[in-house]
Amino acid sequence: MHEASTKAQTLIEALPYFQRYAGRSFVVKYGGNAMGDEDAEREFAEDVVLLKAVGINPVVVHGGGPQIGAMLKKLGVESTFVDGLRVTDKQTAEIAEMVLSGAINKALVSSIARAGGKAVGLSGKDGNLVTARKVERTTKDPESNIEKVLDLGFVGEPCAVDTAIIETATAAGMIPIIAPIGSGEDGHTYNINADTMAGALASALGAARLLLLTDVPGVLGKDGSLLTDLTPADIAALRADGTISGGMIPKLETCVDAVEAGCEAAVVLDGRVPHAMLLEFFTARGAGTLISAG
């Protein structure tokens, strides 16, 4: 009886959140260490199916960098890196699309089905979901201090989003699983960073939440403690004093862009924690770092 009472209390605690988010969209970026781990992938699928069952519309955007790297190695295709960024030539772009829109995407669709849900695999190319433009980056020559343009090949970023296909799928009871691939107005296919793709979709959908699953508890302060609530101004200050650095910077830039463009809030949390999404959404305690307009 005690166990049953505890479960009942958990549901009562979650009730206000069920009511608040019913009919809203949650965009979830899934990737990193959780991908390829059968138990973690099963738990993720169960969480997503539960969100759909309680009236929320989850939209999943997945990554796949390690899997792309493994396939390139298997096929004997050498990768070139400039300032730590992979140069994506036409052959690499074709392999990336094969891995992302093929193996990874359909594996996640199957996981959702095994958890009792209905998912549809898409990429940004389907239904003109995401139109991409070529990413432009510059670097400074250390000797001359002159800036030069980096050509990263077929690496893109969203420049337009048409959410009609997502809205059609969710209205039909489907969970969209989206590979970060888009078509450019020039007719080329572009590989898009999954965080960036998720942020663009969250903005276009006016999502209640953008969730970036990572391999850290969230944004940490200088003393290692979890920073639970941040605003864009807080993030600017933390970046200026060096509290946040490295790979966390582009993630938080994505969160700020999404929040300032129509997403209600973004969350950075540890995807390695079992059912971390549910802890974040449906408990008063939360489980990561929430970024909101303030």
Side-chain angles (χ1 to χ4, degrees):
M1 287 297 293
H2 176 72
E3 183 179 351
S5 177
T6 301
K7 290 180 179 178
Q9 185 59 43
T10 300
L11 290 172
I12 293 300
E13 185 178 352
L15 179 59
Y17 303 97
F18 292 161
Q19 295 169 324
R20 176 180 177 181
Y21 297 126
R24 301 291 304 279
S25 295
F26 283 3
V27 177
V28 183
K29 186 268 180 168
Y30 175 68
N33 294 333
M35 296 184 70
D37 182 307
E38 290 186 9
D39 290 338
E41 188 167 307
R42 185 192 70 252
E43 290 172 352
F44 174 79
E46 290 170 348
D47 289 356
V48 171
V49 171
L50 178 60
L51 292 177
K52 188 69 175 177
V54 299
I56 294 166
N57 294 319
V59 177
V60 178
V61 179
H62 63 81
Q67 291 87 339
I68 293 170
M71 182 58 73
L72 290 171
K73 184 176 180 180
K74 183 177 180 180
L75 296 176
V77 178
E78 292 189 10
S79 295
T80 302
F81 291 85
V82 178
D83 282 3
L85 300 171
R86 188 197 304 271
V87 176
T88 303
D89 59 17
K90 188 170 181 61
Q91 184 182 23
T92 301
E94 291 172 350
I95 293 170
E97 183 173 17
M98 176 182 70
V99 173
L100 291 168
S101 296
I104 294 175
N105 191 274
K106 301 316 171 190
L108 284 173
V109 169
S110 296
S111 293
I112 297 292
R114 287 194 298 273
K118 293 183 178 180
V120 57
L122 303 168
S123 79
K125 297 171 75 171
D126 293 303
N128 293 324
L129 174 57
V130 173
T131 302
R133 63 180 167 226
K134 185 182 177 72
V135 164
E136 295 184 356
R137 293 286 185 270
T138 61
T139 186
K140 281 189 177 181
D141 186 289
E143 296 181 1
S144 65
N145 208 34
I146 296 174
E147 282 198 347
K148 62 178 181 179
V149 176
L150 296 178
D151 187 355
L152 299 175
F154 296 99
V155 177
E157 60 189 3
C159 62
V161 178
D162 182 344
T163 61
I165 194 169
I166 291 179
E167 292 162 1
T168 299
T170 55
M174 300 287 183
I175 299 168
I177 310 295
I178 302 171
I181 298 289
S183 293
E185 293 180 348
D186 56 8
H188 292 304
T189 295
Y190 288 93
N191 189 17
I192 302 170
N193 176 275
D195 288 347
T196 304
M197 182 89 152
L201 294 180
S203 300
L205 289 166
R209 288 291 185 272
L210 164 64
L211 182 66
L212 301 183
L213 299 180
T214 68
D215 55 3
V216 294
V219 183
L220 304 180
K222 285 188 179 295
D223 62 356
S225 62
L226 178 66
L227 303 176
T228 56
D229 294 275
L230 295 174
T231 65
D234 295 331
I235 290 169
L238 291 169
R239 183 173 179 178
D241 71 11
T243 301
I244 58 174
S245 59
M248 186 57 72
I249 290 176
K251 288 185 182 297
L252 291 176
E253 287 177 343
T254 293
C255 292
V256 169
D257 288 345
V259 166
E260 292 181 340
C263 178
E264 186 177 296
V267 185
V268 178
L269 77 164
D270 195 340
R272 301 169 300 179
V273 175
H275 306 297
M277 282 197 297
L278 303 187
L279 294 173
E280 170 58 35
F281 293 138
F282 301 133
T283 69
R285 295 177 299 277
T289 299
L290 181 79
I291 297 97
S292 61

